[in-house]
Amino acid sequence: MIPKIILGKGARATRRLIGYLYGPGSANEHTDPHLVASWNDFAPDPGRSPHRNPKDVEDQLAAQLDQPVKMLGDKAPTTTVWHCPVRAAPEDPILTDAQWADVARRIVAAAGIAPEGDDEACRRVAVRHADDHIHIAATLVRQDGRRPRRDHDIRAVQREARKIEADLGLRRLNPGDGTAAKRPTSKEHFKAKRQGQDTTTREILRTRVRRAVAAASTETEFFAVLEATGVTVRPKTGPSGDILGYSVALPGDLNRHGEPIWFSGSTLAGDLSLPKIRHRLTATTPEPATAQPADPWHQATAATEHIPRRLTHGDDHVAQGQLVALGGALDLLPLAAPAAARSELERAAAVFERATRSRITADFDSARVLRRSVQTILRTRAATRDGAGLAMLLDAALIAVAFAKHWHRTHQHAQQEAAAQQALVHLQTAYAQVAVPVLDDLARRAPGIQTKQRYARHLQQAVPEHADRILKDPAWDALTTTLADAETAGHNPATLLDQALGQRTLDDARNPARALTWRIHRLGQRHAPSPLAQAAMARSTTRLPATPVHPPTATPTAVQQPQVRRR
């Protein structure tokens, strides 16, 4: 059950709202509008007055609601209308008028509009014009002339909605922490539907602004990227000429006066205001480029592989910074992905966006490498031609998102935890779309039987507990090709296997050969050591036991670690 508070002001605010509630709606979606509750239980009902002109009854109802406001004259508040639609989930049972009346009573009591037993509370009505929702309309002057005490009414009605869900057996929504982005309004949804679009303008702009933030290194570059993606930008300047904020619009998205419909960054999401974007850009300014930069796919993968440890062993500020950087990487990956995987990656980024925000202040500087490497990937598109880099990065991202889900669970961030779970589903689909063709191509180039047997013998000696699973994994042939390619480049395959096995345990790997393929792929593209160096390493190197990221022990009160399965 979702309540949403909207405030109105102006001389005719109440009349406009009543007219809308009893009108046809933006897309003729209003059916049988009628009162289910009112402050005195006998307010005039435009939907149930068949012998009178409905417009006259609407005038009468609005006048009665406004009466306490009019009595104050010039002392009346500027904001006079409190409007709260309350919507049930699609799978919820249809509530009766009496049940909706009780919902309205509880909501206005929680908000401070009409506390229980207060006969001098604000005047209010609840109008039902569809099976799944009501609209509560109230005026913000009590009948005794005082103002209602509605401190923190948004949080209060959300808490009450969670209780109503439990009491009525409705779908239980996750409690929030006030950091969610603003949802599109019903009017925006209906407009998108009329225009044949699945996504509202607000959501399109939020995605493009997030991508611009993730792709930019400076404020100037941020605005340039926005304009390059087809967004119209309107800076807000102060008397000194300094830019204080910005608004964005989509070309062709006009109001009834033919003017662009503008959205400020802060109304798209709290972390997209210009001051917060500036802080993020300043805190993650790229370091000077090195003479011989590393492969950005390898850098991004390595940085992503560090995220689970930072979520389980780092402080909360570092962990939050890692989540923001991971969200930025997911925002940009669709731009570097093949067309087949782009849709699922966009969905993953859209839902994981909720998992990037919490009340914890982020340490952005801790995620500098991931941010910089993904930006480099976009500037060097040729590096994505074989798909291996993207598959390797997605493999690491799946683990990182699984740990993000667990981190939010331990911090009781219910909405963020649910968002991470949704992102996992889309990422797994995208990973299969990207990785399967790459693995199939590697498997077709598998080395001869003797070479494969040699690799198998080393596995059986090095990790007897996992050797059988690795040899039976469908990706075994792909792994042998990767080892053979590395051997051709001058690497010792046994040494590479030892290094790959020591990076992270295979205990939670659903496809251990796949996991090793990507590890060997990264290790094998490093500069091969000389024969003398190889001989020295062979004499002196002993494989260290794989150390899991999870804490080795857990107390009875500890939260269970996530059961992560590698692809």
Side-chain angles (χ1 to χ4, degrees):
M1 180 165 286
I2 303 174
K4 179 180 179 181
I5 296 174
I6 306 165
L7 301 179
K9 57 185 177 181
R12 291 182 53 80
T14 305
R15 182 63 184 87
R16 287 196 302 269
L17 177 56
I18 295 300
Y20 166 74
L21 297 181
Y22 282 93
S26 302
N28 294 313
E29 73 277 13
H30 295 181
T31 58
D32 187 26
H34 59 279
L35 287 183
V36 295
S38 68
W39 74 97
N40 57 7
D41 295 327
F42 56 84
D45 184 358
R48 291 292 188 269
S49 301
H51 303 298
R52 299 180 59 190
N53 185 330
K55 297 298 181 184
D56 292 340
V57 185
E58 290 175 20
D59 289 340
Q60 183 182 4
L61 177 59
Q64 290 191 18
L65 285 168
D66 268 339
Q67 188 175 11
V69 178
K70 300 297 184 185
M71 290 177 62
L72 292 183
D74 295 340
K75 296 181 180 179
T78 302
T79 300
T80 58
V81 173
W82 188 89
H83 174 204
C84 183
V86 185
R87 186 178 299 273
E91 63 270 29
D92 284 341
I94 296 177
L95 303 183
T96 65
D97 282 358
Q99 288 174 313
W100 276 121
D102 188 58
V103 169
R105 176 189 60 77
R106 294 177 63 171
I107 291 293
V108 294
I113 296 297
E116 292 287 352
D118 188 346
D119 295 334
E120 298 297 323
C122 297
R123 295 189 175 187
R124 67 277 174 194
V125 294
V127 179
R128 182 179 188 179
H129 55 208
D131 286 338
D132 63 348
H133 70 281
I134 60 171
H135 290 256
I136 304 172
T139 44
L140 291 175
V141 174
R142 290 166 48 86
Q143 294 183 80
D144 58 12
R146 295 184 293 136
R147 311 287 176 82
R149 297 187 62 179
R150 54 182 193 88
D151 297 336
H152 308 295
D153 55 352
I154 295 177
R155 295 183 187 179
V157 299
Q158 291 290 346
R159 286 194 299 268
E160 188 63 27
R162 303 293 81 80
K163 296 176 183 178
I164 293 171
E165 291 162 357
D167 293 344
L168 296 183
L170 307 179
R171 176 187 173 189
R172 304 288 294 274
L173 298 184
N174 294 314
D177 59 1
T179 61
K182 185 176 180 181
R183 295 187 182 94
T185 64
S186 298
K187 184 182 293 186
E188 291 170 13
H189 278 299
F190 289 129
K191 180 179 180 180
K193 185 177 180 180
R194 288 197 307 271
Q195 296 176 342
Q197 298 175 349
D198 295 330
T199 309
T200 65
T201 298
R202 181 188 299 275
E203 293 167 312
I204 294 172
L205 287 171
R206 181 159 57 234
T207 296
R208 294 189 186 180
V209 173
R210 283 180 60 83
R211 283 181 176 171
V213 175
S217 299
T218 65
E219 183 179 329
T220 301
E221 189 175 353
F222 163 69
F223 286 121
V225 171
L226 267 184
E227 292 178 346
T229 58
V231 175
T232 304
V233 181
R234 182 178 65 181
K236 177 184 177 182
T237 58
S240 63
D242 295 334
I243 298 178
L244 305 178
Y246 72 100
S247 297
V248 289
L250 286 181
D253 185 39
L254 309 175
N255 60 21
R256 61 184 177 181
H257 303 296
E259 301 166 337
I261 298 177
W262 297 98
F263 294 83
S264 66
S266 59
T267 61
L268 296 176
D271 57 346
L272 296 182
S273 67
L274 187 56
K276 292 191 176 180
I277 290 174
R278 281 174 173 162
H279 174 65
R280 182 169 165 184
L281 293 175
T282 302
T284 55
T285 301
E287 299 169 354
T290 59
Q292 293 183 337
D295 185 312
W297 289 103
H298 292 185
Q299 282 189 321
T301 302
T304 304
E305 287 178 338
H306 287 312
I307 291 177
R309 181 165 292 279
R310 294 196 171 191
L311 291 177
T312 53
H313 292 82
D315 66 41
D316 284 347
H317 302 293
V318 169
Q320 181 62 43
Q322 297 292 311
L323 295 180
V324 172
L326 179 59
L330 295 179
D331 285 332
L332 295 180
L333 281 184
L335 304 178
R342 202 167 295 150
S343 177
E344 287 297 329
L345 286 175
E346 287 175 346
R347 293 189 182 101
V351 295
F352 190 74
E353 177 254 0
R354 181 67 189 97
T356 64
R357 287 192 305 275
S358 73
R359 291 286 180 184
I360 298 171
T361 303
D363 176 1
F364 295 118
D365 191 59
S366 66
R368 182 191 300 267
V369 174
L370 177 56
R371 178 179 172 84
R372 183 179 66 243
S373 56
V374 175
Q375 290 173 342
T376 304
I377 286 170
L378 291 183
R379 299 186 181 103
T380 56
R381 298 293 180 86
T384 69
R385 61 183 179 273
D386 64 355
L390 178 58
M392 180 174 59
L393 179 53
L394 288 179
D395 180 66
L398 279 168
I399 299 297
V401 172
F403 272 82
K405 173 187 171 183
H406 172 72
W407 185 82
H408 282 306
R409 183 190 305 139
T410 60
H411 288 74
Q412 298 182 345
H413 299 161
Q415 291 184 359
Q416 292 91 328
E417 178 190 348
Q421 174 57 41
Q422 288 180 289
L424 271 177
V425 174
H426 295 298
L427 276 179
Q428 287 166 348
T429 303
Y431 174 80
Q433 293 167 336
V434 172
V436 169
V438 177
L439 293 168
D440 287 346
D441 180 64
L442 289 171
R444 282 191 291 269
R445 300 190 292 108
I449 186 66
Q450 291 183 343
T451 302
K452 293 167 72 173
Q453 288 176 343
R454 177 160 52 90
Y455 297 155
R457 283 194 296 272
H458 182 76
L459 273 173
Q460 289 165 342
Q461 294 172 359
V463 279
E465 70 275 22
H466 295 298
D468 189 55
R469 284 204 307 136
I470 295 172
L471 295 175
K472 291 180 179 179
D473 192 318
W476 164 242
D477 283 346
L479 173 58
T480 60
T481 301
T482 307
L483 283 166
D485 289 346
E487 189 171 12
T488 301
H491 289 278
N492 184 321
T495 301
L496 282 185
L497 269 173
D498 286 346
Q499 291 174 348
L501 290 165
Q503 284 183 347
R504 191 173 185 274
T505 180
L506 294 175
D507 291 341
D508 55 11
R510 179 187 299 174
N511 300 103
R514 283 189 182 185
L516 287 175
T517 297
W518 305 131
R519 297 180 195 179
I520 298 295
H521 178 80
R522 284 176 54 207
L523 293 168
Q525 290 194 12
R526 295 177 182 173
H527 181 68
S530 67
L532 289 176
Q534 289 189 31
M537 284 189 293
R539 289 193 300 269
S540 62
T541 302
T542 58
R543 186 175 66 84
L544 297 175
T547 303
V549 172
H550 310 310
T553 59
T555 63
T557 58
V559 179
Q560 184 180 0
Q561 293 289 330
Q563 297 299 312
V564 183
R565 292 190 175 274
R566 295 290 294 259
R567 299 290 295 179

